[in-house]
Every structure is written in C-alpha cells, then in structure tokens.
Amino acid sequence: MPDPTSQCQDALHELYGYLDGELTVEKRAAIHRHLDECQPCAEPYDFEAELREVVRRKCQEQVPDSLMAKVRAALADERASGAGPSA
Ligand SMILES: [Zn+2]
C-alpha cells in the first residue's frame, strides 16, 4: 500500500501540469479522484485553478512566471501562517 503522504506529493506535483492541460485523460482522472478524497490537496488546487481561469480570461495569454511565483509564494505564506497541517 502506498504511503498517503507521497500520494499527496505526487498529486500536488502533477497539479501544475493538470492546470496547464498537459496531462493525459487517465492522469486527470487519477488526480480528480485524489482531490475528491483529500481536502489538503483540493484546497490549493481550487484556488489556483480559479486564479488561472480569471487570468486566462483577462489576458487571453499565458500566465507570466512572475505571477505564478507570486501565487506560489502566497500559498506558501498562507501555510506558514498556520492554515495548513502542523509539521
Ligand atoms: Zn492529498
């Protein structure tokens, strides 16, 4: 049986590809299943998916790396401030 923590890491690692539409149908389905069952993974996914959708609509072009860096920093900051599971 796989370690659930590494399952989460795999899922999060794939999220960026998922959001970019780079994954296969099978991978999307697997990630979707994981997100359905795993709230800690689903939360940042929802946030980023929503943000990217807004940016895509407004800009009609690729999200700049600088913006994604800010998003990642904001997510990390949110976790550091105590919203996430304690270490
Ligand atoms: Zn998870």
Side-chain angles (χ1 to χ4, degrees):
M1 183 148 175
D3 172 11
T5 303
S6 88
Q7 273 196 334
C8 283
Q9 283 173 350
D10 284 351
L12 285 172
H13 181 77
E14 304 278 19
L15 280 185
Y16 296 102
Y18 180 95
L19 292 170
D20 284 333
E22 289 171 358
L23 295 180
T24 62
V25 171
E26 288 81 7
K27 282 232 178 190
R28 284 167 184 254
I31 289 172
H32 243 280
R33 251 194 326 271
H34 184 82
L35 293 176
D36 277 349
E37 295 166 357
C38 190
Q39 192 64 20
C41 284
E43 280 175 6
Y45 165 74
D46 286 345
F47 175 83
E48 281 204 40
E50 200 170 314
L51 179 115
R52 292 192 72 136
E53 190 59 36
V54 168
V55 171
R56 192 168 288 161
R57 261 192 236 126
K58 283 193 177 178
C59 301
Q60 294 294 309
E61 64 189 27
Q62 285 240 311
V63 178
D65 285 348
S66 60
L67 177 57
M68 287 314 294
K70 281 186 188 171
V71 171
R72 290 188 185 116
L75 286 172
D77 197 48
E78 197 169 296
R79 289 190 177 169
S81 68
S86 56

